Amino acid sequence: MYAIVEIAGQQFKVEEGRYIYTNRLEGEANAELVIDKVLLVESAAGVKIGTPTVEGASVKGTILEHLKGEKVIVFKKKRRKSYQKQNGHRQALTKVQINQIIGA
């Protein structure tokens, strides 16, 4: 059983017992999280596709920790102009464990 959910404007395929990394979410570590924007649910009974969301479906999860992603280096250079600029960025992420998928 899996589901396609929308979290903070991004779509994720989630399964029970798996982890996902999303953009930083509100809430403390070990807090419960309920996601109501379920776009698709696949189970033994079949596939339910929402218009735009599946009525009565939700996904329950737990926020495990807040962390930072890998460093991305941004390097800009213009040749023969004595211009070069280096910048770095680390995205703020949240690790979420999916506990239960409730399909309607």
Side-chain angles (χ1 to χ4, degrees):
M1 179 179 209
Y2 71 89
I4 306 291
V5 297
E6 183 177 336
I7 304 171
Q10 294 181 323
Q11 295 179 5
F12 296 94
K13 179 181 177 181
V14 297
E15 297 179 30
E16 291 182 9
R18 299 275 180 123
Y19 304 107
I20 59 170
Y21 292 93
T22 68
N23 287 333
R24 183 67 57 97
L25 299 175
E26 297 288 327
E28 299 293 322
N30 298 323
E32 289 294 320
L33 177 69
V34 177
I35 304 161
D36 293 327
K37 286 191 171 185
V38 179
L39 306 175
L40 180 139
V41 176
E42 187 275 333
S43 63
V47 177
K48 294 181 185 175
I49 300 173
T51 54
T53 60
V54 178
E55 293 295 324
S58 63
V59 174
K60 292 185 179 181
T62 305
I63 296 175
L64 296 179
E65 63 179 326
H66 298 290
L67 54 117
K68 287 187 174 183
E70 295 291 319
K71 181 173 269 193
V72 177
I73 302 296
V74 180
F75 184 74
K76 298 179 182 180
K77 181 177 179 174
K78 294 183 181 177
R79 62 184 190 156
R80 298 188 296 270
K81 305 293 181 192
S82 295
Y83 171 79
Q84 59 184 12
K85 186 176 190 176
Q86 183 174 357
N87 208 347
H89 175 75
R90 290 184 72 184
Q91 187 70 32
L93 300 173
T94 299
K95 184 177 181 180
V96 178
Q97 180 179 11
I98 304 302
N99 298 331
Q100 186 180 14
I101 298 173
I102 301 168

